Every structure is written in C-alpha cells, then in structure tokens.
Amino acid sequence: RSDMKDLISLYDYIEIQPLCNIKFLTRSEPPLTEEDIKNINILLADVADAFGKTLVATSDSHFLN
C-alpha cells in the first residue's frame, strides 16, 4: 500500500474515461475485455476515494468545435 500511496500522491486527481474512448485496449496485448475496463474504472474510483483524490470522468475531447 505504501508504494501505491507514493504513486497516487504524485497526482492531483484520478481520471476515468468512458469505454468508447478506451476501447482500443480490447486490441492490446494482452487484450482486455469490456468488463475488465469497467472493473478498472470501478477500481480507480475506489482508489480515488481511499486516497482522498478527486475522481474526474472525462471524454478526452481535444476540440474547440
């Protein structure tokens, strides 16, 4: 837990993105399932809560229009 605490302390917030934005991970090696990705987002939410970090859900938008 101390290693994770050290790592998490480097960040101001924890970010998650919707499945459609990170679906490319289903084609990675090793591939993740959609269920894996959902579980990772849940885990990240739990980590944010446990370490008192803000959880930010983003859409990874990079466009003004």
Side-chain angles (χ1 to χ4, degrees):
R1 182 165 163 118
S2 65
D3 289 341
M4 179 168 280
K5 185 176 182 180
D6 292 343
L7 180 63
I8 297 297
S9 72
L10 300 173
Y11 296 90
D12 296 323
Y13 60 90
I14 304 296
E15 177 184 2
I16 61 172
Q17 293 188 12
L19 179 60
C20 61
N21 285 27
I22 55 176
K23 199 166 184 171
F24 68 89
L25 293 173
T26 63
R27 298 182 303 276
S28 65
E29 277 301 320
L32 299 175
T33 66
E34 289 185 15
E35 193 65 28
D36 291 334
I37 295 168
K38 290 176 186 177
N39 288 333
I40 289 168
N41 278 345
I42 291 168
L43 177 62
L44 287 170
D46 291 343
V47 166
D49 187 49
F51 289 95
K53 296 291 181 175
T54 301
L55 180 67
V56 179
T58 67
S59 64
D60 197 28
S61 296
H62 298 277
F63 304 98
L64 295 176
N65 299 318

